[in-house]
Structures are given as structure tokens and as C-alpha cells.
Amino acid sequence: MTDTTAGLIHLDDLAEPRYSPEAEQLRQMMAMLAPDCPLDTDVLHARATEATGLRDFGPDDYRERLERYVAELREIDMHGPGIVNFHAQLVQWLKNRLLLTDLLKRHPEIHDIELAPPVIIAGLPRSGTTHLHNMLAAAPTFRSLPYWESVEPFPLPAEQGVQPDPRITRMDVAVQTMDTLMPHFALMHEMTTDHAHEEIQLLANDFSTMLMETLAHVPRWTDYYWNRDQTSSYRYLVTQLKALQFLRGGRRWVLKSPQHLGQLPVLNTVLPDAVIAFTHRDPVPVALSMIAMVTYSERMYHDRVDVRAVADAWVDRLERLLGMCVRDRDLIPPERSVDIGFDDFMADEMGVVRRLYTVADEPLTDGAQSAISEYLAGHRRGRHGRVHTSAELFGLDADRLRERFARYTNRFLGPVG
């Protein structure tokens, strides 16, 4: 339901999703493919090998993580389109491993590439991370990861050098499909073929990323993930960044993900010179916004969504994530970090960019300022409308949420009314 006067979208079908006729037709077509898309690790590996002609998946420690994830997915009462989506996603991650391993064999000099210290944005969704990421990505100063490249980072052997790049064409279709099935998702997190995307998509190629718990409610796998040392997976990420730089150039990466709030010791080990920008905002509306996004996207594999169960689970993990940030923030010294309050950012966007360029020791050239200003002119906040959220919508209590997030709030924002 839409409140056109206020530009608000009220999601009144979170528990029992409704679809447009076009979306329902697409769902029926996808459901027909489900019998040929088993969530079986042997089949997944075989499909990846068949698609690439390759057999070496690289270091095999990922297999336990994949098997645990797939085992829990199979316990979900998943509809046909969801099975097809997960099958395709898992095969793609395995294909990416095969293609990276092959690329490294053919070009071992990739390992010798020295990455310039990246600029990393760490903060919860809706705290300004995406906006800041896209502003920085708009300038020629930094190398960013477009969505299409994050999903298919390494070209298939038969498609190397083909123009237009078939990966971009496939992503155009995927984005259109997502927009059909989840027409309001873009109001919560805009997804286009070329927009700057998070490197957690690359971490998924090692089957160890917060992304995997946003795609499905898998509490056992989530506990397993958060209790695992992520150092090896972040090193795998660095290898991928080197490979992407080898393939398509770039001087210095700008990266972004909320999961980094819980991995600051790992970042310090793997990327010890990285500059980290922490974005901060009242976590109660931020949490409600993220819960809306996750519960809404559950329709991609569920006919009926247990909104309260999903909301409770995400409150738990966000509390844990913010607690890890409080615990570890001081590991990142002031000479390579900056804390950015959301209100300050919205009041002076270019001022925040100048601060970050200073900490990163980068000149803010006329060309960079012009590119960022042009981006801002076409991407004003709320230009497409926004989704209404409230604690009551998810069966939560706002005062109780504020109590649970108080440690983080008191540390970075002071008392919030």
C-alpha cells in the first residue's frame, strides 16, 4: 500500500507476500525449473565444472562452510523460485572460485601486486554507508566494485574479451528480475547493474560472509560464521582484489560493508594500513530499516514469513555487531580513521568527503569534486520515496531496542531521544 501524499510505502504484506501478475508469471516459470536445481553440494560442484570446463576450486577449506550452509537451506520450507535462486547463486560462487584459481595459475604475478591501502567504510545500512560509498566511487580517485563485477568477477574462458561484456548483459536481466519480484526493495537499498557494490559479494566466493545470512534465515550457520576466525577469508578477498586490479586496473580501492564492524581485528591483520570511515546513526531506526529490508526479501524463498522470528534474530545480531564495534574501535588509530555522524554527513556531504580525503592523504582535485557533485545532483536522498517502518510493524518495542543498543549509542552518539 502506498501513501502517495507523504511518499511513503507501507509494506502490509511482509508475512504473506503478494505479487503483481507479471511477478506471479515469472515465479511460475522459475518454479518449473526447481526439480532440476537440487541443493546438493555434489551437483553444485558438477554444474560449476560443466559451466567452466575447470576442476580446481582452490583451497578446499570452504567445503565445510558450503556444506553447513546447504544443509540448513534444505531444512527451510522453500518455494520453487527460491530453490532456483539459491541453486544459481551457489553455483555462481563455485564458478568464481574455479575461474580465480585458473587465472592465478596462468598469471602467478597477480600475487606480487601490492594493493594501496584501501579506504573502507564500516557502518550499518541506512547510516550513510551506501551514499558515501557511491560518492567516493563517482570520483576517479578510487577503484570501486560495480555490481555486475561483484557477482561475476572473473570472465568465463569463452567470454574473455567479448564486447559488450556478457556479464553486464546478464546482470541487467537479473536486476530486472529482482525489481519485478521485489518492486520496493530499491527504496531500501538501490541495486543497479553499475552501482558500487559491497565486497561481501567477493567474500561469498569463500562461503564466509554476512551476505549469506541476509539471504536466508539460517541461525545455526550464522552462529558458526560469527564464531569462526575470518582471517583466511579476508586474505582470499585480498587475492580477489589483486586479480580484479590485474584484469581491469585501478589504483586504490574504496570498499564498504557493515560486517567489517565485527571484523576490525581481522582488517588490522590483513590490511594493516587501511583507512576506515565509521558511519554512525541512531541504531533504532537503522535496525528497523534493515529488518524491513530482510523480512521483505524473504519472499524470495518463502510463501509465508515469520516476521517476528526474523526481526528478533536480526536485533540479536545487530546488537552483537555494534558491541564488537564498541569493543574494537580503538584498534584503528586516529591517523587512519574517521568517525562520521549521520546528521553531520547530511548537513555537509562535501565537508565529510574532504575530511576523508585528508585522512586518506589524497588530493581532492577539481575533477574529483566535479564528479562527486554530479553524482549528488542526480541522487538526492529520498528521491524515489521511502518505506515506512516502526517497531510495532515487527512486534518489537522501541524502548527495549534503545536499551539493547545503549552501549553503542553512548559511545558514539551520546544520549538519543
Side-chain angles (χ1 to χ4, degrees), residues 27 79 174-175:
R27 281 165 43 84
H79 55 50
V175 168

Side-chain angles (χ1 to χ4, degrees), residues 100-175:
L100 175 62
T101 303
D102 178 65
L103 179 65
L104 294 172
K105 287 179 179 178
R106 290 184 288 109
H107 296 282
E109 65 271 25
I110 289 173
H111 290 292
D112 297 328
I113 294 174
E114 292 189 15
L115 295 181
V119 171
I120 301 174
I121 302 166
L124 292 186
R126 317 305 293 175
S127 66
T129 55
T130 299
H131 189 49
L132 180 59
H133 190 203
N134 279 280
M135 287 175 65
L136 297 177
T141 312
F142 298 106
R143 167 73 150 94
S144 60
L145 186 69
Y147 188 30
W148 66 266
E149 187 180 37
S150 74
V151 173
E152 293 192 60
F154 315 111
L156 291 165
E159 295 180 352
Q160 293 184 22
V162 175
Q163 295 297 329
D165 196 314
R167 294 175 292 173
I168 297 176
T169 303
R170 285 191 288 270
M171 181 50 64
D172 286 339
V173 174
V175 168

Side-chain angles (χ1 to χ4, degrees), residues 238-296:
V238 168
T239 299
Q240 293 182 81
L241 294 175
K242 291 180 178 182
L244 290 170
Q245 202 163 305
F246 173 81
L247 290 171
R248 293 211 313 125
R251 185 184 64 85
R252 187 177 188 181
W253 286 92
V254 58
L255 306 172
K256 184 265 286 189
S257 175
Q259 89 167 45
H260 299 324
L261 292 173
Q263 301 297 337
L264 296 179
V266 175
L267 280 178
N268 243 3
T269 297
V270 178
L271 293 165
D273 297 318
V275 171
I276 303 182
F278 296 90
T279 59
H280 304 293
R281 188 181 186 183
D282 178 3
V284 173
V286 167
L288 296 177
S289 182
M290 184 164 187
I291 290 167
M293 183 171 64
V294 173
T295 53
Y296 182 67

